[in-house]
Structures are given as C-alpha cells and as structure tokens.
Amino acid sequence: RMKPVIVVHGGAGRIFKEREEGSRTGVVRAALRGYGILKQGGSALDAVEEAVRSMEDDPHFNAGCGSVLNEKGEVEMDAIIMDGKNLDSGAVSAVKCIANPIKLARLVMEKTKHMLLTDRGAHLFAQAMGIPETPGEKLITERSRERWKNNLEPDSNPQEFQKDLGTVGAVAIDSEGNVACATSTGGLSNKLTGRVGDTACIGSGGYADNHSGATSTTGHGESIMKVVLARLILYHMEQGMSPEMAADTALDYMKTRVGGLGGVIVVDNSGEWAARFSTKQMSWATVKDDQVHYGIYAGERHTKSVDEALASEGEGF
C-alpha cells in the first residue's frame, strides 16, 4: 500500500508582509485537514476537496470568501477537481453566491455527464443540488473591496495588483495509489465580467492521471492556458523527469515562451512531490510520513511533526 501524501498551495505571486503568517497557517491547516482524511484510508479525491474547501473558507486566499472582485465589483469564481483513476473531472466557471465552488465542481463530476458548467447554468445546477446560496456580500472582504476601488482610480495599474494572485490548490495520492487534484480561484482583480482563467480548464489549472501523477497550478491564468501548464508538467514526468525537474522545466518554458510567471504543486504516482514557483513567493505545505513541510519564499522550508502542527493549531481533524 502507498504512503499517502498531500501537497497544497495558497497561490503564487506577492504575499504582503502582514499576510504572511495567515497564509502559512492557512496552507498548513489545509494540508493537515486533507492528510487527516488520507490517514483514515480516505480517497485522494476527498482529501483534495477538503483541503481546498478549507482555503476557500479562509479570507487570506483569493478563492471562496476573500475572492477578488471583477470590474463590476462582484465575485466570480472558478474551480476544478480531477480523479486520476479514470480521468473524470468536474469544473465550474464564473459562479457567484456560492461559498465553496470546489464542492460544486465535485458534484458536476459525479452527478452530470458533463465536465464544465458555467455562470447561470452552474447556478441552476447548484440550486437543483440543494447547495445553499451565500449572498454575494458575504464573500467580499474589506480588503477585496479596497483593492477594487484602488484599481478603478484613473492612474492605477491593476496589472500591478494582479501580482498577488491567490489561486488555491491541492494534489494528493492515497493509500490505494490513486491521485487527484483540485484548484479554486476568484481570478484576477478587476477582470472583465465573464473572464475565465486557467483554473476551470482541464490540463491548465490542474490535471491528474494515475499513470503519472497530479498537479495544480497558480499564477497568470492566460499564460498558463497558453502552455497548458498542468498537462505539460505531467508530460515531462512521463518522459522520465522527477516532479521537481518537470515543474521547473515547464515553468521555465512558460517564462521564456510567453513571459508568464506562476507556481505549481506536484505529486507523482510513487509519492514523490514538489512545490515550485517562478514568482517571488508561493505559500505551500505538504504532509508525508507524518511530517509537515511548508514555506513561502524560494528555498524556505520549515518542518514540524503532524502532532506538533496540530497542537499549535489548537484543533484536531
């Protein structure tokens, strides 16, 4: 039987000093939640969904509550989940008034014959599935609103602000050797209404295949889509590269070919993992062999035992 592994990211880009602590705590908490499921023999699919849900509920991240606002000042979110066993996937795009888009993506995968539902159709499907509606206001933090306002100023440069992108994601391998990925985001600050980035697109925002592994991406969505980043990483792994080498090679290609920056988390089908980024920072955490590793800056890696991490969390699974 496989030793389970989970890796999560809280977004690549620029993490402001006063938000570092919350980002670190948030990714560690998400990784512990996912690992708790894997430890009890749960599936990779359940683990990545739970980890992402944890970050959607955390206002430090640009997903779920805390999502950035589009040009009209609304939250529009994208999410994807994928099962490496049979390549089943579910995604939603441009959804509003839902606390956990990742849950809806999972339902699209399991309850429909489709892979991606958008906007109004996703909303109708959520109603049919009995998912409670969360008033749009509830998902908007003071910070997101401030930022949206600043970006509307005539001399502002939203591109500058879009550097601290916070897509969230998770990849895992369970004791059965199945892999899965999940990714969720609020997108780009002050984006056009109806803009959908890489997150909801299979092969860009994430990809999972038991034959090679699973990956979840973060960064500049349009660049990620141009190179189909998630699938590109797995392709390199199929050619014999390690997760780290495959991630670096693909990120480097995206940078040189289209000038795009981003970050990725990867787990291969033997449980090797990587968390790599070409941006200044990316919050990430992983749990393997009852050890938690986490960091934000390049070269930064803290390690704690799961028990120690849980104790400082002040909460069990």
Side-chain angles (χ1 to χ4, degrees):
R1 289 169 80 72
M2 279 297 306
K3 276 185 180 164
V5 182
I6 185 158
V7 194
V8 305
H9 69 73
R14 188 178 59 184
I15 299 162
F16 294 102
K17 271 279 177 260
E18 74 274 8
R19 301 181 65 77
E20 275 186 19
E21 217 29 63
S23 298
R24 274 199 192 90
T25 310
V27 288
V28 169
R29 181 188 300 125
L32 288 169
R33 292 235 170 112
Y35 191 66
I37 288 173
L38 295 171
K39 267 305 258 196
Q40 291 159 10
S43 71
L45 213 49
D46 285 344
V48 295
E49 181 186 358
E50 178 56 34
V52 165
R53 199 186 57 74
S54 168
M55 291 183 284
E56 286 176 342
D57 292 343
D58 184 333
H60 280 94
F61 303 108
N62 172 18
C65 174
S67 289
V68 298
L69 311 186
N70 67 12
E71 55 173 357
K72 292 208 164 34
E74 303 168 323
V75 165
E76 281 190 328
M77 301 164 292
D78 306 331
I80 193 168
I81 193 164
M82 187 166 182
D83 182 349
K85 199 183 336 186
N86 45 18
L87 308 188
D88 276 351
S89 179
V92 292
S93 67
V95 296
K96 301 184 187 74
C97 305
I98 283 176
N100 298 110
I102 200 65
K103 275 176 97 154
L104 192 57
R106 174 90 185 251
L107 287 168
V108 170
M109 176 172 84
E110 293 183 342
K111 306 286 185 200
T112 78
K113 290 190 170 69
H114 308 308
M115 285 170 81
L116 172 59
L117 289 182
T118 192
D119 198 354
R120 187 169 149 66
H123 181 74
L124 292 171
F125 175 65
Q127 281 178 330
M129 289 289 118
I131 289 193
E133 199 168 311
T134 303
E137 292 300 305
K138 274 235 159 78
L139 299 172
I140 298 177
T141 57
E142 197 42 52
R143 175 168 179 262
S144 298
R145 194 179 293 290
E146 274 302 294
R147 199 155 166 210
W148 171 71
K149 279 202 195 110
N150 293 341
N151 286 345
L152 292 177
E153 298 294 322
D155 55 352
S156 89
N157 173 9
Q159 268 60 49
E160 216 4 75
F161 284 97
Q162 287 169 1
K163 290 206 172 70
D164 73 332
L165 313 157
T167 302
V168 305
V171 294
I173 186 163
D174 60 30
S175 55
E176 304 285 306
N178 292 314
V179 298
C181 70
T183 313
S184 180
T185 189
L188 291 180
S189 194
N190 296 60
K191 62 189 177 179
L192 293 181
T193 302
R195 178 263 187 188
V196 176
D198 65 294
T199 301
C201 302
I202 189 171
S204 294
Y207 202 81
D209 183 347
N210 282 4
H211 293 165
S212 45
T215 177
S216 168
T217 67
T218 167
H220 184 244
E222 281 71 14
S223 301
I224 290 171
M225 290 158 97
K226 286 175 185 175
V227 302
V228 199
L229 185 62
R231 191 65 191 83
L232 180 61
I233 292 165
L234 292 186
Y235 165 77
H236 286 315
M237 280 157 58
E238 286 158 6
Q239 305 300 302
M241 281 187 194
S242 69
E244 188 164 304
M245 183 77 187
D248 287 347
T249 304
L251 283 169
D252 193 50
Y253 175 71
M254 183 167 84
K255 192 170 172 180
T256 52
R257 187 70 179 88
V258 299
L261 301 180
V264 300
I265 49 172
V266 191
V267 66
D268 73 11
N269 58 8
S270 65
E272 290 302 304
W273 63 274
R276 310 291 293 169
F277 47 100
S278 52
T279 50
K280 266 213 172 85
Q281 292 147 293
M282 178 179 81
S283 54
W284 63 273
T286 185
V287 190
K288 182 180 182 176
D289 290 329
D290 289 322
Q291 294 284 305
V292 185
H293 308 277
Y294 60 98
I296 286 188
Y297 292 94
E300 177 194 355
R301 181 160 159 185
H302 305 281
T303 303
K304 281 181 179 175
S305 73
V306 164
D307 292 342
E308 201 185 332
L310 279 174
S312 60
E313 272 278 286
E315 54 165 291
F317 288 121

